[in-house]
Amino acid sequence: MTEMPKKALPGHIAAALAGAGGITDSAGQPWAGRDLPAQEKYHNFDADDGAMDAGFAAAMADLAAGDGSEAQVVASLATARVFIPIVAQLAEQTVGENGLVSDKESDMALVTLQGPDGRRALPVFSHAEALARWHREARPVAVYAARAALSAVAEDAQLLVVDPGSQRPFVVRRPAMWALAQQQQWQPSYDDVAVESVLRESVSALGNSAVVDISASAGQGIESLWDHRSDPGQLLVSGGGTGPELCVTITLVPGLDQQTVNELLARLQEFWAGQEYFASAVDSIQIRLRHPQPQT
């Protein structure tokens, strides 16, 4: 993914940064001369050592072992702390008497990425070391992953990418990202009976006898290639890919010409797009056409 121009910070992150490291508190009262009880908790991450959240680490390990699912990884993020990278962005320059340009003011801004397909993504990191390796000058801001997802939505991002550039990145696609932002459980579209129901309704609504059967399954796009720089080799896992996530298999009667097939697919996709639940639950679709085998 390529780096996108930086944008202004969401209000909650800007406020957290603005109040960090100053000589006064948020009410303007000086810190000097004040004793802070050691046992008192001042924010959610007082004792944070920057390590990966244990629940997220366990879910990722299960996915790598083939015992988990991407839904379980997303569920683990619901309570996990992540780090958002913040970088300095030049706000104003000044020209000195000698004609040299120097920085006068700078702002702190979120970094967004752009994938090969043009979609915008917000990078987050499961531990501080991963962020430091990715961008040495970025400042880590600790937030809950749900809050990071909310920021991604505010930035018009379609993806939340956990640990980009690492050996084991994990992409949270739009439906899962929205569910995370709303603190709701995410149901993958390929395992959602409501999505399957819309597919079957589309065939009935069009009244086209050319479709023998229609079904949903996980698309190959959910797969991720991990450990690609490691020995003994690469690991292909069933989760965390950029998509397509939903494979729609359509069995057609034999003998249809290409134009008829194209028109049929266009009508089906138009129906799917018009269904609010389907449009929100499905990130991207892979269509597979089949013809029934002749009986002998």
Side-chain angles (χ1 to χ4, degrees):
M1 288 188 172
T2 57
E3 187 172 322
M4 294 282 289
K6 287 79 177 178
K7 296 185 66 176
L9 296 178
H12 65 281
I13 295 179
L17 284 172
I23 61 173
T24 64
D25 61 18
S26 59
Q29 300 300 313
W31 292 110
R34 294 163 64 179
D35 292 326
L36 304 179
Q39 71 275 15
E40 188 170 339
K41 183 177 180 180
Y42 298 100
H43 58 76
N44 290 322
F45 310 108
D46 275 344
D48 197 333
D49 61 359
M52 184 182 296
D53 176 83
F56 176 72
M60 290 285 279
D62 287 344
L63 185 63
D67 299 326
S69 67
E70 61 175 359
Q72 291 172 326
V73 174
V74 172
S76 74
L77 284 171
T79 56
R81 180 272 296 124
V82 296
F83 293 100
I84 292 180
I86 305 299
V87 297
Q89 180 181 24
L90 181 62
E92 185 178 349
Q93 290 181 327
T94 183
V95 180
E97 294 181 359
N98 56 6
L100 297 178
V101 177
S102 61
D103 297 350
K104 185 176 181 181
E105 294 182 8
S106 62
D107 294 329
M108 302 302 289
L110 282 174
V111 177
T112 56
L113 307 175
Q114 184 174 17
D117 58 1
R119 287 188 292 177
R120 186 187 298 272
L122 181 70
V124 299
F125 295 85
S126 61
H127 56 101
E129 184 181 348
L131 188 152
R133 286 197 300 263
W134 182 75
H135 198 310
R136 291 292 178 184
E137 298 179 1
R139 178 175 178 177
V141 175
V143 297
Y144 284 112
R147 200 64 184 266
L150 198 60
S151 295
V153 173
E155 292 291 310
D156 294 325
Q158 291 79 46
L159 305 169
L160 189 72
V161 185
V162 184
D163 296 337
S166 71
Q167 287 279 62
R168 296 189 173 187
F170 187 91
V171 175
V172 181
R173 298 180 297 274
R174 175 185 54 81
M177 185 182 74
W178 284 6
L180 193 59
Q182 298 173 74
Q183 300 183 50
Q184 297 176 350
Q185 183 177 359
W186 173 59
Q187 182 75 20
S189 61
Y190 50 82
D191 195 29
D192 190 335
V193 293
V195 168
E196 181 102 24
S197 177
V198 170
L199 293 176
R200 298 199 176 279
E201 287 174 12
S202 67
V203 176
S204 300
L206 296 182
N208 198 314
S209 59
V211 179
V212 177
D213 188 37
I214 190 167
S215 62
S217 60
Q220 288 186 339
I222 72 167
E223 296 177 343
S224 297
L225 190 61
W226 285 358
D227 302 338
H228 55 283
R229 296 189 298 269
S230 297
D231 190 30
Q234 302 173 344
L235 176 65
L236 189 65
V237 298
S238 297
T242 58
E245 68 175 26
L246 179 66
C247 178
V248 178
T249 301
I250 304 173
T251 304
L252 301 173
V253 297
L256 300 178
D257 58 44
Q258 190 61 52
Q259 181 177 349
T260 301
V261 172
N262 291 343
E263 291 175 354
L264 173 61
L265 293 179
R267 293 175 63 195
L268 287 173
Q269 292 179 77
E270 182 180 3
F271 182 93
W272 303 337
Q275 304 301 305
E276 183 177 355
Y277 180 81
F278 189 94
S280 64
V282 178
D283 177 65
S284 48
I285 299 175
Q286 165 193 359
I287 295 178
R288 180 182 299 163
L289 298 179
R290 285 184 176 174
H291 298 281
Q293 296 295 324
Q295 297 182 353
T296 57

